[in-house]
Amino acid sequence: MTPAQAVIETTSGVGYLLNISLNTYTAIQDKKEVKLYVHEVLMTGGRDDSFTLYGFATKQEREIYRMLVTVSGVGSNTARMILSATSPAELVNIISTGNEKALKGVKGIGLKTAQRIIVDLRDKMASNGMIQDITSSLAGASAANVNQEVRDEAVGALTMLGFSPAPSAKVVTEILQAQPSMPVEQVIKQALKLIK
């Protein structure tokens, strides 16, 4: 195994070479038995057809990879490079907050490609619930002490108003920690004053 590839032997004794990200490498190194989620790419045309397998430690990482390769200008290796430079949670946060600079920091990603990734994937990730999941995890354990229903409704409303989910979730959580019984309308009004 290398940081870019792993050979996984199945129970029947057949080994498969999988291209992996650094996140997956970190998750599986030093383990005897692993479970990877596979994405297969079949390239046809020309004189040689190629069949390439990509392996991921989590379903979320594979799902994000599959979204990345739908963006014009992002191929399989570029998507793997992005997932090697950032964790899936960091990438979702980068896309949800429109952080072009962070994406441009990945080798092979220019400004236009970074903008295209953000524009193409922000809504897809929001509709899949990825952004909500990440903002929940970013708020951390402190969010467990607040009324989740009010929090989620307030963050959803702020997101629809054009505010980024991660900062919105942080502000809403802080408001609800200070005043747990505040109704959702008041939380939204208070958050509008505090969000930067």
Side-chain angles (χ1 to χ4, degrees):
M1 180 168 68
T2 70
Q5 295 181 325
V7 176
I8 303 298
E9 187 177 327
T10 63
T11 52
S12 60
V14 177
Y16 292 94
L17 176 69
L18 303 176
N19 291 291
I20 58 173
S21 69
L22 286 176
N23 287 311
T24 297
Y25 175 74
T26 302
I28 67 172
Q29 72 181 21
D30 301 327
K31 292 185 179 176
K32 295 260 185 247
E33 289 191 19
V34 296
K35 177 179 183 177
L36 293 180
Y37 298 90
V38 177
H39 175 80
E40 56 188 345
V41 177
L42 177 61
M43 298 293 287
T44 58
R47 292 191 322 188
D48 297 322
D49 293 344
S50 69
F51 184 72
T52 309
L53 298 174
Y54 292 86
F56 305 95
T58 65
K59 281 185 180 179
Q60 183 191 41
E61 186 179 17
R62 180 179 66 178
E63 189 175 351
I64 292 171
Y65 170 87
R66 287 176 171 171
M67 286 182 174
L68 284 168
V69 296
T70 66
V71 177
S72 176
V74 179
S76 299
N77 285 322
T78 303
R80 183 173 59 146
M81 183 75 71
I82 293 169
L83 286 167
S84 291
T86 64
S87 72
E90 289 168 342
L91 182 59
V92 171
N93 190 42
I94 286 167
I95 291 170
S96 71
T97 58
N99 188 347
E100 297 167 358
K101 280 186 181 177
L103 274 176
K104 271 182 44 184
V106 177
K107 183 182 176 201
I109 301 292
L111 177 62
K112 286 188 178 179
T113 304
Q115 290 171 336
R116 197 175 305 122
I117 290 169
I118 290 167
V119 169
D120 288 2
L121 299 187
R122 186 183 285 163
D123 290 341
K124 284 183 188 177
M125 288 181 169
S127 66
N128 282 0
M130 281 184 187
I131 291 174
Q132 188 65 35
D133 293 344
I134 295 304
T135 55
S136 296
S137 67
L138 288 175
S142 58
N145 302 330
V146 300
N147 182 331
Q148 282 301 124
E149 192 174 318
V150 171
R151 180 186 169 280
D152 292 347
E153 194 174 333
V155 172
L158 291 165
T159 303
M160 288 180 70
L161 289 171
F163 293 97
S164 296
S168 299
K170 184 178 179 201
V171 169
V172 168
T173 300
E174 288 169 1
I175 292 168
L176 287 171
Q177 283 174 333
Q179 299 174 36
S181 60
M182 185 182 275
V184 69
E185 300 83 16
Q186 293 298 321
V187 172
I188 294 168
K189 285 180 185 177
Q190 187 75 20
L192 287 171
K193 296 174 188 173
L194 299 172
I195 293 177
K196 293 182 165 95

